[in-house]
Amino acid sequence: MKVIVTKNYEELSRLAAGHVADLLKSKPDAVLGLPTGSTPLGMYKELIAMNQKGELSFKDVTTFNLDEYEGLDRNDSNSYYRFMLDNFFSHIDIDRNKTNIPDAMSSDIPKECLKYEKKIEKAGGIDLMILGLGNNGHIGFNEPAEYFAGITHRVKLHEDTIKANSRFFSSIDQVPKFAVTMGIKSIMHCKSIMLIANGKAKAEAIKKTIEGPITPQVPASVLQLHRYFTIIVDEEAASLLTKH
Ligand code: GLP
């Protein structure tokens, strides 16, 4: 595990984008695992700028998003499909046929989840999984639980996640109660992982992720076991760490 502490969010975003760019320079057809949320927005902006300046190309890249809300139409402004289009895909030279997001509108979610896993396998696995972090230590939508969930599956969202994400919706009642997410096994199978987190609200979850015991109550803590795991945090998110 490699922990990098940056001065602020801007430096975090630049470093994270640099990490992605380094991979794409050595492997232009890399497979990326992508997160949503506010944390990766700065990184996406940096990557868009590099792409538009002609320094970096995504034309051979394949992507798999971590999760999607159940029951939101793709055109819904809160769907993660729309989020990815608006904040990343429509600004870069990626082939849209190579971008994948779980279809949480499917009438057969378990079948859709298996299909998603098979597609990841067929693409050769994910070279770099980029993760944000929920305030309660969740990754993707893998919520604190009694056990580590396996592959892509349907989840019931925790009250605190619904509350945290309600800032994007017109009211808390509009936040879906369920979602589809890659599981802990899907994430741990990725060849390398980079987690990014910023701000005071993430400090507790970062401490537990890095220095706490490995427990499904803090899903991100399992990442301590991954061989190629990098965490980039700003000073605020790192403020409770004692060993770094
Ligand atoms: C959501 C997403 C996660 C994301 C988390 C943190 O719950 N499912 O993938 O990491 O929010 O979001 P933010 O970056 O906005 O704090």
Side-chain angles (χ1 to χ4, degrees):
M1 174 169 59
K2 187 170 163 194
V3 181
I4 301 170
V5 181
T6 65
K7 281 236 134 345
N8 51 37
Y9 179 65
E10 287 67 37
E11 192 188 349
L12 175 152
S13 302
R14 268 199 311 277
L15 271 185
H19 197 74
V20 176
D22 286 347
L23 169 68
L24 297 193
K25 278 171 192 157
S26 64
K27 190 174 181 189
D29 62 348
V31 180
L32 299 177
L34 298 177
T36 50
S38 36
T39 314
L41 285 174
M43 175 191 73
Y44 288 142
K45 280 201 183 110
E46 292 283 336
L47 289 169
I48 292 168
M50 287 182 208
N51 184 244
Q52 293 183 348
K53 279 191 239 152
E55 297 166 4
L56 190 68
S57 174
F58 290 88
K59 86 180 161 38
D60 296 320
V61 169
T62 300
T63 65
F64 287 91
N65 262 78
L66 264 171
D67 46 15
E68 178 60 286
Y69 286 115
E70 183 176 293
L72 289 194
D73 184 81
R74 289 188 152 190
N75 292 317
D76 191 297
S77 60
N78 278 306
S79 75
Y80 284 166
Y81 180 88
R82 257 297 283 286
F83 175 99
M84 291 310 296
L85 266 192
D86 293 351
N87 293 297
F88 197 35
F89 297 151
S90 60
H91 306 285
I92 56 170
D93 64 345
I94 198 158
D95 173 354
R96 296 269 176 83
N97 296 317
K98 292 190 176 135
T99 64
N100 301 280
I101 298 182
D103 177 6
M105 286 289 279
S106 164
S107 54
D108 191 344
I109 298 263
K111 191 168 157 201
E112 186 54 39
C113 292
L114 277 179
K115 235 169 79 188
Y116 203 64
E117 288 287 330
K118 289 222 170 85
K119 218 169 173 189
I120 294 173
E121 207 182 303
K122 210 167 153 210
I126 293 175
D127 293 297
L128 173 64
M129 178 83 239
I130 303 160
L131 297 172
L133 183 68
N135 294 348
N136 63 2
H138 76 227
I139 43 177
F141 271 132
N142 291 280
E143 298 280 29
E146 295 305 312
Y147 57 89
F148 288 115
I151 60 169
T152 302
H153 62 291
R154 178 178 192 248
V155 278
K156 184 169 175 14
L157 300 178
H158 273 204
E159 274 312 311
D160 39 12
T161 299
I162 291 175
K163 218 180 279 164
N165 291 359
S166 65
R167 68 190 197 275
F168 299 112
F169 292 77
S170 49
S171 80
I172 195 160
D173 308 330
Q174 304 293 310
V175 187
K177 308 279 181 290
F178 291 88
V180 171
T181 182
M182 276 187 205
I184 295 295
K185 192 169 167 188
S186 337
I187 293 171
M188 289 300 277
H189 270 189
C190 298
K191 293 168 205 166
S192 64
I193 299 174
M194 172 175 74
L195 183 144
I196 51 179
N198 68 294
K200 271 225 160 60
K202 300 286 169 72
E204 190 70 43
I206 278 294
K207 184 174 173 55
K208 289 180 178 162
T209 296
I210 301 178
E211 296 179 352
I214 295 166
T215 162
Q217 293 300 334
V218 183
S221 64
V222 75
L223 300 169
Q224 292 174 34
L225 297 176
H226 198 283
R227 205 158 162 210
Y228 298 106
F229 175 42
T230 303
I231 302 193
I232 310 180
V233 280
D234 72 349
E235 279 176 358
E236 286 189 354
S239 57
L240 297 178
L241 293 178
T242 52
K243 298 183 199 143
H244 292 86

